[in-house]
Amino acid sequence: MDYEVAVIGAGPGGLVSSLYLRRFLRRTILLSAGPPRASWIPKTHNLFGFRDGVSGVQLLKQLQGQLDDLGIERAVGQYRVSKSRGGFRVQGESGESFTAKKVILATGMTDVQPLVGNLDLLRRRGLLRYCPVCDAFEYRDKRIVVLAQDDHGLKTARFLSRFTDSIQVLWPPSQPLPMRLVKTCMREKVKFTRGILKSVVEPKGKGTGLAITYVDADQTQREMKADACYVALGITVNDFAFRSLKGIERGEGGYLITGSHQEIKKIPGLFAVGDCVEGLAQIATAAGQAAVAATRIHNELRAP
Ligand SMILES: Cc1cc2nc3c(=O)[nH]c(=O)nc-3n(C[C@H](O)[C@H](O)[C@H](O)COP(=O)(O)OP(=O)(O)OC[C@H]3O[C@@H](n4cnc5c(N)ncnc54)[C@H](O)[C@@H]3O)c2cc1C
């Protein structure tokens, strides 16, 4: 075997897994296809230990530095896993491949994005929000618009209703509303507007919030004002690495189902951590799962 462990994905889940594995003196390779979801965090205020908050980029840089000190091997690109005798074969897009006894999937997920021209700018400036568990606290009693098109979006609106009485859901006119959930939301003072999003801009001048333009069912252009705009249009699990593996159990939304040590039950030696796993999509969760998976792997590799 070329490596004892291959870690696929270099967000918090993959980085913390690698950190533990290198500190257990395990021959580990860390594979990364591009910027992790964590790199879009403008500043997190719910991560323990950072009283003044920390940006996703800063946090990742610190973790990368810790790994550099431990002499981690890295490779860049999209990798996929297949079973091979005694472990796994991990293959890159350009055909290069290597073997590993164990694999940790830390591939994360991708948010469905709204169709607005200035998306990158809005994301970079933190003007769109993606994680109410992370930052609803910062928007207590503020005006919130939720971009939604399915149950996930309505659950997001419901979650936010504990923090403010001013929530507008913007819902596509062509999409039927799931009435049972809508009624629950309305009981919690959530309001509904049907329309197709056109733009989200931050008008000049401090404290004015966001201007959200949409076209309603009568083709009239209208505007809503908000202090925060949550994107809750759905997610896709990043499954390129394991799409072709047979025997993987996936739950609602395509998330991986794991056992209590983050193991994929029907595929011995395969583990998964972080946002690609069913559960709470948080840095703390990804890091905790990484610690559990890495320690389990270390113990399994020690076993005679
Ligand atoms: C705007 C925003 C704000 C957030 N705020 C907070 C917050 O305040 N607090 C908090 O706890 N959480 C927050 N989150 C959630 C947090 O970012 C995620 O929970 C965290 O990034 C999960 O880490 P991860 O390692 O599982 O996935 P990711 O960070 O997404 O990393 C996955 C990595 O895997 C790589 N990858 C995927 N497939 C392959 C492949 N086949 N080969 C190689 N590499 C691959 C991807 O390119 C990516 O780099 C926020 C998220 C967003 C978008």
Side-chain angles (χ1 to χ4, degrees), residues 98-112:
F98 52 83
T99 51
K101 286 184 188 163
K102 311 271 183 189
V103 169
I104 297 185
L105 302 168
T107 56
M109 66 185 185
T110 303
D111 301 273
V112 176

Side-chain angles (χ1 to χ4, degrees), residues 9 11-13 33-34 36-38 41 44 46 77-79 107 134 274-275 281-283:
R37 193 164 178 257
I41 304 174
T44 169
N46 78 340
Q78 286 260 8
Y79 286 81
T107 56
C134 312
D275 281 7
Q282 289 284 281
I283 295 167

Side-chain angles (χ1 to χ4, degrees), residues 237-252:
V237 171
N238 298 332
D239 65 359
F240 178 86
F242 52 87
R243 211 179 285 157
S244 50
L245 268 179
K246 290 205 174 67
I248 284 202
E249 197 187 343
R250 295 176 72 169
E252 205 186 320

